[in-house]
Amino acid sequence: MRRILLALLLGTSIIAAEPEKSVIQISSFSQEPVWDAGWRFNPVQRSSGSGFLIKGKRIMTNAHVVGWARQLVVRRYQDPKPYQARVVFVANDCDLALIEVEDPAFYDGMEALEIGDLPLVRSTVVTYGYPSGGEQISYTRGVVSRVEVQNFVHIGNRSFLAVQTDAAINPGNSGGPVIQDDKVVGVAFQGIPGLENAGFFIPPPIINHVLKDIEDGKYDGFPQAGIRLASLQNAAYRRYLKLPNNEVGARVDHIFDIKPSQDLLKIDDVLLQVGKYPVASDGTILYNGHRVFVSVAFAEAQHGESVPLKVWREGKPMDINLPVEVYKGDLREGNQYDVLPRYFVYGGLVFTPLSRDYLRTLGGGAGDPTAAPLLYELYYRRQEAPHTMRQEPIVLASVLAHDVNADLGTRGRVLVDKVNGVRIEKLEDVIRAIEGNKGEQDVIEFYPDSGIEALDRKPVQEANPQILKLYGIAKDRRL
């Protein structure tokens, strides 16, 4: 079921302190680029969210509250005065952000909220925030109903530890604190449409990881183990591997293109333990009393640190210190932020990298037959044929109508294989192949159906400035 980013209303209980004085209302004026026409932007959108003060005069909120923000305006509890704020750190992978207000008067009378511990299932929590339906702060009570790994919708292709509560969900509460015993035990961030009494918040292990990460002045992100695990519950196969039939250990089924993992691990290794956590045969660990996927154990490490592993290989156990690092090879498979789309326009042909953001521009969505080759290239080739992967698959996104391209039968939404005989691995290859061509025509080949188109170079070069002016494009490329 597809999840959407929403603010959580989680509940009230009696609290001696007054944390509401440290909860902030955030108004964001954001503008996202158009991913199939990278020189354009969508209209400015106004949205609202919540945040709360932590030590160091920083305001914690969700990354999706401040994403693509042109302006941030914040207000204190029961104070009508608006203040300008700016983003200082963004953790898009786990949907957290820190913002600050330069006016020192904003912080008068406010106290930083302290980060607590992971709450227990069946315990009561309170979320403070500014959901839609009113301008004043809202308080709602909720019970912790589940702790497990969830997909984080903001980035789309990352999953982390999250806490579910049986609370109502309303837009605008995103980024607000979830309080228990006067301490922050979570940040409200997303819900599941159609599922009643279910909302999610980001727990302290994720919050603290981010705060530790940024101590050096930059945010790296959560490192990846670089492996995919398969359950190892078949007793006969366990005997074949000479493993005890004790429900401990999951098999390494795939190793991604992360060098330390490829150097130190092997397919069919059995992962027995990560750090202090024994790994069950289904790939889970027992984490603070909760049965969760083993990725939580790897997520405790910072980028560049090593994680001690115990694996079973060729009939015996062995110890491995696995360096872990942030993996960026699949950035295009998730939603992208903070970096404008790359593009190149030539003869009205718009070339751009294939990405999840680009796929969202397709009018027919994932059900559109023309999207099938693009979906395979972006999401499945890595699994099925990694040796044929391109560094950055390029799409002919569209063709801006002009006399020089009127004869083209291909009008966009196709993958570019070669340009003038050069295999295209990234956008720069398209430019190099065109600008380095000495012939009279530019020949463009597409895949998977091997279509071919050609342009006469001289008319195109003469028409290029006219095309850019006609369509309001300041530059023919952004790299």
Side-chain angles (χ1 to χ4, degrees), residues 60 296 342 376 414:
M60 176 163 281
V296 173
R342 287 156 50 83
Y376 177 82
V414 290

Side-chain angles (χ1 to χ4, degrees), residues 150-358:
Q150 292 283 343
N151 173 256
F152 277 39
V153 176
H154 175 66
I155 192 69
N157 66 335
R158 291 286 186 269
S159 297
F160 298 103
L161 192 68
V163 181
Q164 182 179 331
T165 182
D166 65 343
I169 301 173
N170 284 297
N173 216 151
S174 292
V178 182
I179 304 289
Q180 185 178 84
D181 298 330
D182 298 347
K183 295 182 179 180
V184 175
V185 295
V187 179
F189 82 121
Q190 68 185 34
I192 303 178
L195 185 61
E196 295 182 2
N197 300 324
F200 296 89
F201 59 86
I202 302 168
I206 305 299
I207 298 170
N208 289 328
H209 188 284
V210 171
L211 294 177
K212 182 179 179 182
D213 189 324
I214 63 175
E215 287 178 355
D216 61 356
K218 63 184 180 69
Y219 179 70
D220 294 307
F222 285 77
Q224 303 288 307
I227 57 175
R228 184 178 64 209
L229 296 179
S231 295
L232 196 52
Q233 297 171 320
N234 183 296
Y237 191 49
R238 294 183 69 89
R239 287 193 291 272
Y240 172 77
L241 296 173
K242 299 182 175 60
L243 271 169
N245 191 19
N246 57 2
E247 295 302 320
V248 174
R251 185 174 67 88
V252 175
D253 178 64
H254 182 81
I255 302 175
F256 294 93
D257 55 338
I258 298 178
K259 193 173 189 311
S261 299
Q262 290 180 333
D263 290 345
L264 296 175
L265 297 174
K266 295 183 178 181
I267 301 295
D268 288 334
D269 278 351
V270 178
L271 188 60
L272 303 174
Q273 187 166 325
V274 178
K276 62 182 179 181
Y277 305 104
V279 179
S281 58
D282 62 352
T284 63
I285 62 172
L286 196 60
Y287 181 82
N288 291 355
H290 306 285
R291 179 62 62 179
V292 299
F293 192 62
V294 69
S295 61
V296 173
F298 287 102
E300 289 188 337
Q302 295 287 342
H303 172 68
E305 293 181 348
S306 293
V307 178
L309 308 180
K310 187 177 291 294
V311 303
W312 185 270
R313 181 182 295 171
E314 299 175 355
K316 59 183 179 181
M318 63 182 298
D319 294 319
I320 293 175
N321 256 349
L322 179 67
V324 290
E325 55 190 44
V326 175
Y327 181 58
K328 297 184 178 180
D330 62 349
L331 287 179
R332 292 176 294 100
E333 297 173 25
N335 300 312
Q336 299 175 85
Y337 303 93
D338 307 325
V339 178
L340 294 175
R342 287 156 50 83
Y343 70 86
F344 174 60
V345 180
Y346 177 74
L349 279 64
V350 180
F351 299 94
T352 193
L354 175 64
S355 67
R356 183 190 187 108
D357 298 285
Y358 169 75

